[in-house]
Amino acid sequence: LGPTIVVGEILVEIMARTRGVGFLEPIDLIGPFPSGAPAIFIDQCAKIGGAAGIIASVGDDDFGRLNVERLRRDGADVSAISVSPDYPTGSAFVRYRADGSRDFVYNIAKSAAGLLALTADAKAMIARAGHLHVMGTALAIPEVWAILDHAIGIIKGRGGSISLDPNLRKELLGGQTEERFARLIDVADLLLPSGDELFVAGKADGEAAATAALFGRAVTEIALKRGEGGSTFFGADGSRIDCQAFAVDEVDPTGAGDCFGGAYVASRRLGMPAAMALEYANAAGARNVAVLGPMEGAGSRRELDAFIATTPRHGV
Ligand code: ADP
């Protein structure tokens, strides 16, 4: 029915090489790496072989070109990425504390990412799209919501589908963002929650109650991300499939959920059964945490097949 599309921020990430050191003195950094949750998602989609495109905005600089060239090389449609002459591509500096938690310094608010608009190229991409993937964080950004609102109506109107990665943060709940989230829950076919997002989305405490509440709406399937615990598929017909995580050394967890989502959505849209899509998604998530850089672990179908064939699983 047409490509999978996503809307949102593109940026670069620059990382501290060593855990436990702060940004209060000069340290060894590595980067820039292409980044931005929507960009990571769509790169993994395209790499697995699904038609995929992104609506985004970058600056007229090497950080922007790095992203656009990577996405293009990996097979994504970059025709709706606009180039701002006035603002730079956003960036994020990240370091890991000794306990593994992350500390970010962002330069995004006044970057090209804030200039997202419904351009003629964006409209054309939406007009040919068959699936829209929405990141919950986008709901708080007025420019992104305006584009999503337009895209939801058009894509649903022509029989397309919608997936939602809730990315819920407490500060996003309440007011307009919560209303937008409720609207999305009413139109989303596929949900990709992690942690307790399933319970927040389903407004219930247990898995059974939360999934039942969601299946009473438009949702027909849920792929629950459990980090090192792997993932679980829930179908509207009551089916459930558990998939154990691959055993890898976690080097950099940024982007795992986005790679998981990109692989899952693309695999399902290519017609694979849920169990197979879950397997590819688990592999994409695990490959991603095992390397430095948020998008560096995204894999082609062949790379994911090789990873699945050679990597042991947790608990086996
Ligand atoms: P999110 O980033 O959205 O919270 P997760 O952290 O659950 O998502 O990661 C998504 C998927 O990536 C998991 O379901 C799992 O398949 C894989 N994954 C994440 N972390 C690890 C890990 N440490 N080891 C193996 N697989 C992982």
Side-chain angles (χ1 to χ4, degrees), residues 102 165 167 192-195 197 224-231 243-250 253 255-258 260 278 281-287 289 314:
R102 286 171 283 185
D165 186 333
N167 278 150
L192 296 143
S194 71
E197 290 169 356
L224 177 65
K225 296 172 275 181
R226 301 178 187 274
E228 272 192 315
S231 57
C243 192
Q244 273 164 320
F246 292 93
V248 291
D249 287 332
E250 187 176 288
D258 306 316
F260 177 98
L278 215 52
N282 263 19
R287 261 176 65 95
V289 302
H314 275 302

Side-chain angles (χ1 to χ4, degrees), residues 68-305:
V68 172
E69 285 316 313
R70 171 71 66 88
L71 291 167
R72 193 201 315 273
R73 187 193 79 192
D74 288 346
D77 180 345
V78 296
S79 63
I81 301 179
S82 57
V83 178
S84 158
D86 301 319
Y87 284 87
T89 304
S91 57
F93 289 76
V94 60
R95 68 160 182 117
Y96 287 89
R97 299 189 186 92
D99 66 3
S101 64
R102 286 171 283 185
D103 177 28
F104 287 96
V105 177
Y106 285 114
N107 294 299
I108 296 176
K110 294 216 167 97
S111 76
L115 300 180
L116 258 181
L118 195 54
T119 59
D121 288 330
K123 278 189 184 154
M125 181 170 280
I126 290 165
R128 58 179 183 271
H131 182 95
L132 173 71
H133 179 70
V134 181
M135 311 250 161
T137 41
L139 305 186
I141 308 167
E143 293 81 5
V144 182
W145 176 253
I147 300 171
L148 290 173
D149 203 21
H150 172 83
I152 291 166
I154 291 185
I155 294 171
K156 273 292 198 180
R158 56 194 291 260
S161 48
I162 294 183
S163 50
L164 171 66
D165 186 333
N167 278 150
L168 283 177
R169 293 199 211 124
K170 290 224 165 53
E171 64 269 23
L172 295 181
L173 288 177
Q176 261 192 338
T177 311
E178 197 155 344
E179 278 166 37
R180 290 169 184 167
F181 187 75
R183 160 131 198 256
L184 267 167
I185 290 282
D186 277 335
V187 294
D189 305 271
L190 162 62
L191 223 58
L192 296 143
S194 71
D196 63 1
E197 290 169 356
L198 174 63
F199 309 128
V200 179
K203 296 197 167 135
D205 280 339
E207 262 173 27
T211 53
L214 291 163
F215 290 141
R217 321 279 272 274
V219 178
T220 56
E221 65 185 80
I222 299 170
L224 177 65
K225 296 172 275 181
R226 301 178 187 274
E228 272 192 315
S231 57
T232 302
F233 164 89
F234 299 94
D237 59 357
S239 56
R240 174 190 176 123
I241 303 165
D242 287 299
C243 192
Q244 273 164 320
F246 292 93
V248 291
D249 287 332
E250 187 176 288
V251 174
D252 176 16
T254 308
D258 306 316
C259 270
F260 177 98
Y264 188 82
V265 169
S267 298
R268 289 296 273 158
R269 295 207 70 227
L270 285 167
M272 293 180 208
M276 195 175 185
L278 215 52
E279 183 88 341
Y280 277 125
N282 263 19
R287 261 176 65 95
N288 191 68
V289 302
V291 294
L292 284 182
M295 198 191 279
E296 306 311 299
S300 65
R301 199 161 164 186
R302 179 186 291 206
E303 286 167 333
L304 294 174
D305 282 335

Side-chain angles (χ1 to χ4, degrees), residues 37-56:
I40 299 164
F41 172 91
I42 213 68
D43 188 70
Q44 177 58 79
C45 260
K47 275 197 103 168
I48 229 172
I54 182 167
I55 296 170

